[in-house]
């Protein structure tokens, strides 16, 4: 790396938060993320755009980020575009056209390709936007749906209940690889696996992000490059399928979340349960509706990304693409 690159200070990464529901202000979601009844003083404010400070502090790392309120695409700026690494959009699920109000943001998200994409509502509604409609929209645009107050909570008897509500949002943000990350002693190796998993999908086909702005370390970027080369040998009939790519992004993020969790037996078992689902070409409910060939390619992509992330040899999985019969 040249001295010029070393001296270049990266902007503090931001989470862009917007609401397409006139009755729900972005600041309300920020208070929930910060677990605070009041908002901190904004670091910066320009008309209706405000940057609020947040320090992510978990067992692996600390990272300073900004929670940035942007009411509409008209308020976007080059400063926000250069620093946005996560995008959270709230919509009104009680009206039929709730999702249509998000359309102006789609081109922005596709151009900037932030690592984390979350669609938020109070809860899905059969009289407005149903669960099926919300999930289909999320699959099409590679978002994760989070209900702040879901009607159906995870089964308490489930050995591995999923996180819901704002807890799930915070969990996803903690699993991201921020450019401002400062590793804690003794956790470089564990976090390295999470970084590599995310890196394996960082340069996805629809990403137009400048490689120099990547939040992924040099070593992890190499993993991403190798994984992309491996994926290029997949069946051309399903390669680049937006549904498969969206599902791969979601499962990579899920694996990343698991590797970012506590190093206990429960988390270890969850990780390998997830890997077994993919091995059997039986991803979770969100992908079960895919045709067999798409499910197979989806499972292969995630498995290969995981293999490369843990340092596996590219040559050892060359013959495992769906385009070759065993």
């Amino acid at each position: 790396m040249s001295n010029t690159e070393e001296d270049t200070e990266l902007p503090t990464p931001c989470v862009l938060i917007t609401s397409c529901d006139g009755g729900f202000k972005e600041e309300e979601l920020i208070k929930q993320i910060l677990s605070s009844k009041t908002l901190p003083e904004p670091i910066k404010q320009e008309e209706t755009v405000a940057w609020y400070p947040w320090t992510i502090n978990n067992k692996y790392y600390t990272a300073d980020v900004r929670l940035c309120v942007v009411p509409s695409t008209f308020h976007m700026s080059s400063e926000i575009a250069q620093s946005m690494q996560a995008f959270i959009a709230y919509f009104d699920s009680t009206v039929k056209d709730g999702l249509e109000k998000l359309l102006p943001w789609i081109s922005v998200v596709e151009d900037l390709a932030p690592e984390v994409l979350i669609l938020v509502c109070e809860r899905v509604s059969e009289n407005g936007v149903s669960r099926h409609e919300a999930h289909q929209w999320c699959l099409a645009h590679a978002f994760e749906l989070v209900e702040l107050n879901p009607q159906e909570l995870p089964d308490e008897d489930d050995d591995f209940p999923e996180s819901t509500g704002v807890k799930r949002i915070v969990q996803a943000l903690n699993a991201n690889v921020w450019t401002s990350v400062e590793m804690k002693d003794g956790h470089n190796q564990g976090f390295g696996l999470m970084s590599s998993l995310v890196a394996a999908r960082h340069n996805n086909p629809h990403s137009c992000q400048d490689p120099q702005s990547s939040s992924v370390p040099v070593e992890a970027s190499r993993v991403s490059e190798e994984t992309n080369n491996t994926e290029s040998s997949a069946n051309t009939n399903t390669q680049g399928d937006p549904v498969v790519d969206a599902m791969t992004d979601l499962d990579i993020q899920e694996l990343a979340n698991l590797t970012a969790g506590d190093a206990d037996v429960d988390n270890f078992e969850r990780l390998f349960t997830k890997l077994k689902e993919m091995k059997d070409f039986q991803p979770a409910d969100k992908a079960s509706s895919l045709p067999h060939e798409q499910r197979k390619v989806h499972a292969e992509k995630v498995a290969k990304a995981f293999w490369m992330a843990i340092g596996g040899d590219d040559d050892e999985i060359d013959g495992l693409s769906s385009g070759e019969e065993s």
Side-chain angles (χ1 to χ4, degrees), residues 5 14 20 31 45 68 73 88 104 162 176 183 187 199 201 207 209 253 281-282 290:
E5 288 175 324
C14 83
C20 299
K31 286 191 288 186
Q45 186 150 7
C68 187
T73 55
I88 301 175
E162 294 182 358
N176 190 41
M183 301 305 304
H187 290 293
R201 291 297 295 169
S207 173
Q209 191 172 2
Q253 188 66 46
F281 307 132
Q282 294 176 353
L290 294 177

Side-chain angles (χ1 to χ4, degrees), residues 23-197:
F24 185 91
K25 297 299 182 184
E26 294 89 350
E27 287 82 1
E28 178 58 35
L29 186 55
I30 289 177
K31 286 191 288 186
Q32 293 187 43
I33 290 173
L34 298 177
S35 298
S36 173
K37 293 182 179 179
T38 59
L39 284 171
E41 283 295 317
I43 288 177
K44 182 178 179 181
Q45 186 150 7
E46 296 177 354
E47 297 181 355
T48 55
V49 177
W51 288 258
Y52 294 93
W54 184 34
T55 299
I56 298 176
N57 185 1
N58 56 44
K59 66 181 289 187
Y60 292 100
Y61 70 90
T62 61
D64 287 327
V65 302
R66 302 287 180 258
L67 301 174
C68 187
V69 171
V70 184
S72 74
T73 55
F74 297 108
H75 297 91
M76 281 294 291
S77 66
S78 59
E79 179 184 0
I80 299 170
Q82 290 170 9
S83 60
M84 182 177 74
Q85 293 181 22
F87 178 82
I88 301 175
Y90 185 95
F91 78 103
D92 184 0
S93 59
T94 63
V95 294
K96 290 287 186 182
D97 63 347
L99 291 172
E100 293 178 15
K101 296 177 181 179
L102 291 165
L103 289 178
W105 283 106
I106 298 303
S107 59
V108 175
V109 168
E110 289 178 346
D111 286 344
L112 300 177
E115 300 289 344
V116 181
L117 297 170
I118 301 177
L119 179 68
V120 183
C121 65
E122 182 64 17
R123 69 163 62 97
V124 293
S125 170
E126 292 303 321
N127 297 321
V129 177
S130 67
R131 184 177 304 280
H132 176 73
E133 289 171 323
H135 277 158
Q136 289 299 109
W137 190 95
C138 286
L139 284 174
H141 301 292
F143 275 67
E144 176 182 354
L145 175 66
V146 174
E147 298 172 85
L148 295 180
N149 187 22
Q151 187 170 2
E152 297 178 9
L153 294 172
D155 188 349
E156 293 181 359
D157 295 330
D158 192 340
D159 291 334
F160 312 118
E162 294 182 358
S163 297
T164 60
V166 73
K167 181 180 178 181
R168 172 58 201 149
I169 296 174
V170 173
Q171 185 183 63
L173 295 174
N174 270 263
N176 190 41
V177 188
W178 303 97
T179 51
S180 57
V181 68
E182 291 187 13
M183 301 305 304
K184 293 183 177 180
D185 293 340
H187 290 293
N188 287 5
Q189 184 175 358
F191 188 77
L193 175 57
M194 186 189 80
S195 304
S196 297
L197 282 169

